[in-house]
């Protein structure tokens, strides 16, 4: 099974899940988002936001593919590019952090470490820009039937599972934070297994060709 991480571009934008492709919850303020949906143009607004952010700030998302199939994505940006970020009771995002807006792994691929792979890809990207941390607003009541509109706010459990820590408590929307130096110290299960295997072998074993056994006769 091959896994590939790529940056979000106007081309890969088409590989987002259908509902996410036309969602402008984060990209516009509440009034503008409602207007875009009423006008039937949320996909154009989403594309315009991605285009502007790419031009002015750089990469603002990651997608992961498994055997060529889109399996998950994350989107991130400075809070100044995310109007909705100021609407949360636990805002504002810290000055030294970028905001991880949303994260999603296709259910068929859940539990395979793709969420951590995506977050680590974001961490590498942001570290090169001199950013110290990632923050996010999590949903402590994710999936409740009475609030489907907030499905694009990722569950608190996801953020905690990939290393985030709560920095401001709230019964519904706590703010969480991940120090980038922590994310960059992670190793995938495959890397760990390989390292363990190689660590059990001596340099001579690694470099010396194995000779076929010879049979002896009496």
């Amino acid at each position: 099974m091959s896994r590939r991480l790529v940056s979000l571009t106007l081309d890969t934008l088409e590989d987002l899940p259908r509902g996410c492709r036309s969602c402008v919850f984060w990209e516009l303020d509440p009034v503008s988002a409602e207007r875009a949906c009423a006008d039937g143009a949320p996909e154009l607004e989403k594309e315009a936001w991605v285009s502007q952010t790419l031009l002015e700030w750089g990469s603002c998302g990651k997608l992961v593919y498994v055997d060529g199939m889109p399996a998950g994505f994350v989107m991130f940006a400075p809070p100044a590019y995310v109007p909705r970020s100021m609407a949360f009771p636990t805002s504002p995002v810290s000055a030294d952090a970028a905001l991880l807006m949303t994260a999603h792994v296709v259910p068929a691929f859940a539990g395979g470490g793709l969420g951590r792979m995506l977050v680590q890809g974001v961490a590498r990207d942001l570290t090169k820009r001199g950013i110290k941390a990632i923050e996010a607003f999590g949903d402590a009541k994710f999936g409740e039937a009475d609030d489907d509109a907030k499905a694009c706010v990722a569950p608190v459990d996801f953020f905690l599972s990939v290393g985030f820590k709560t920095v401001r408590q709230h019964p519904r929307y706590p703010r969480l934070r991940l120090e980038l130096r922590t994310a960059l110290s992670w190793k995938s299960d495959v890397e760990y297994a390989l390292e363990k295997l190689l660590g059990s072998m001596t340099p001579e074993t690694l470099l010396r060709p194995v000779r076929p056994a010879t049979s002896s006769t009496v």
Side-chain angles (χ1 to χ4, degrees), residues 31 65 196 208:
V31 173
Y65 295 81
K196 187 174 181 181
R208 187 178 61 223

Side-chain angles (χ1 to χ4, degrees), residues 88-162:
F88 284 81
T90 50
S91 64
V93 173
S94 301
D96 64 347
L99 175 66
L100 198 156
M101 300 150 57
T102 190
H104 177 76
V105 174
V106 175
F109 298 102
L114 297 182
R116 178 162 290 212
M117 182 179 178
L118 285 162
V119 172
Q120 191 169 27
V122 175
R124 290 194 188 99
D125 188 303
L126 294 178
T127 298
K128 294 175 183 176
R129 307 187 209 188
I131 295 173
K132 303 297 184 183
I134 310 169
E135 293 192 356
F137 299 105
D139 189 347
K141 299 181 180 181
F142 183 83
E144 291 192 357
D146 64 342
D147 204 358
D148 291 338
K150 301 299 187 296
C152 50
V153 181
V156 168
D157 289 345
F158 166 78
F159 292 116
L160 294 175
S161 72
V162 295

Side-chain angles (χ1 to χ4, degrees), residues 13-23 63 70 72-73 104 106:
L13 181 62
E14 299 302 323
D15 286 339
L16 296 187
R18 185 181 299 273
C20 301
R21 173 67 180 85
S22 59
C23 175
L63 293 90
F73 78 97
H104 177 76
V106 175

Side-chain angles (χ1 to χ4, degrees), residues 201-215:
M201 303 174 72
T202 64
E204 291 78 8
T205 304
L206 291 172
L207 299 175
R208 187 178 61 223
V210 178
R211 296 178 180 177
T214 59
S215 58

Side-chain angles (χ1 to χ4, degrees), residues 16-123:
L16 296 187
R18 185 181 299 273
C20 301
R21 173 67 180 85
S22 59
C23 175
V24 288
F25 175 85
W26 290 102
E27 293 82 359
L28 301 177
D29 64 79
V31 173
S32 298
E34 288 183 12
R35 184 183 303 118
C37 292
D39 293 342
E43 290 190 5
L44 293 178
E45 293 287 353
K46 182 93 166 190
E47 185 173 322
W49 183 89
V50 170
S51 178
Q52 180 182 4
T53 306
L54 285 171
L55 287 171
E56 295 180 358
W57 186 67
S59 177
C60 56
K62 300 287 181 184
L63 293 90
V64 62
Y65 295 81
V66 175
D67 292 336
M69 298 291 295
F73 78 97
V74 292
M75 294 187 68
F76 57 95
Y81 283 79
V82 190
R84 179 74 66 159
S85 67
M86 293 305 298
F88 284 81
T90 50
S91 64
V93 173
S94 301
D96 64 347
L99 175 66
L100 198 156
M101 300 150 57
T102 190
H104 177 76
V105 174
V106 175
F109 298 102
L114 297 182
R116 178 162 290 212
M117 182 179 178
L118 285 162
V119 172
Q120 191 169 27
V122 175

